[in-house]
Amino acid sequence: MDNSKIIKIAFLFIAIILGAGFASGQELMKFFVRYGNNGFIGIILSGIIFFLVGWAVMELSIEYKTKNYSQFLEKLIGRGFALFMESVVSCFLFVLFSAMLAASGATSAESFYVPNIYGI
């Protein structure tokens, strides 16, 4: 694998972690920092778990020669359950998107005193 693919995969993994909200700051404060030294151990363990899961997914996707998420799920859990999981994920993403739109409308209304629809 050439260096450009490695860099792309590394940035994708970082984007997934940050995009999922794990490293937004609040989680670190609420779950790790307030426990002192034990929290530091939690940060290290979380990093190790993220590394291992990411590595396992990469190894399996290379082994299965999958090109996308759907193919990977089908190889991993079977066609029927993969379709069900994709439906659940799609519904979850729609609900999150709707919540984000509502929050953007509320934030713009509070900050700029405009109707919610302009923020959405």
Side-chain angles (χ1 to χ4, degrees):
M1 189 179 302
D2 63 9
N3 286 340
S4 66
K5 285 186 179 182
I6 293 171
I7 291 171
K8 286 179 186 177
I9 291 170
F11 279 123
L12 177 66
F13 191 72
I14 291 168
I16 290 170
I17 300 302
L18 293 176
F22 184 77
S24 68
Q26 286 298 314
E27 291 81 7
L28 294 173
M29 291 296 293
K30 289 181 180 176
F31 300 116
F32 298 122
V33 173
R34 73 178 187 187
Y35 295 111
N37 289 336
N38 289 335
F40 182 72
I41 294 169
I43 290 172
I44 298 297
L45 287 174
S46 296
I48 291 169
I49 290 169
F50 275 121
F51 168 76
L52 292 175
V53 169
W55 176 62
V57 168
M58 291 247 321
E59 286 291 323
L60 287 172
S61 63
I62 290 169
E63 181 182 327
Y64 294 148
K65 294 178 177 54
T66 57
K67 301 272 187 234
N68 57 43
Y69 173 71
S70 298
Q71 287 179 353
F72 181 76
L73 273 182
E74 283 182 21
K75 295 277 188 183
L76 196 64
I77 59 178
R79 183 169 173 79
F81 195 58
L83 289 173
F84 171 74
M85 288 303 296
E86 285 189 46
S87 300
V88 169
V89 168
S90 295
C91 290
F92 185 69
L93 288 174
F94 177 74
V95 168
L96 286 175
F97 179 69
S98 300
M100 288 168 58
L101 285 178
S104 68
T107 301
S108 63
E110 288 180 15
S111 299
F112 304 114
Y113 307 105
V114 296
N116 290 358
I117 194 70
Y118 294 133
I120 294 173

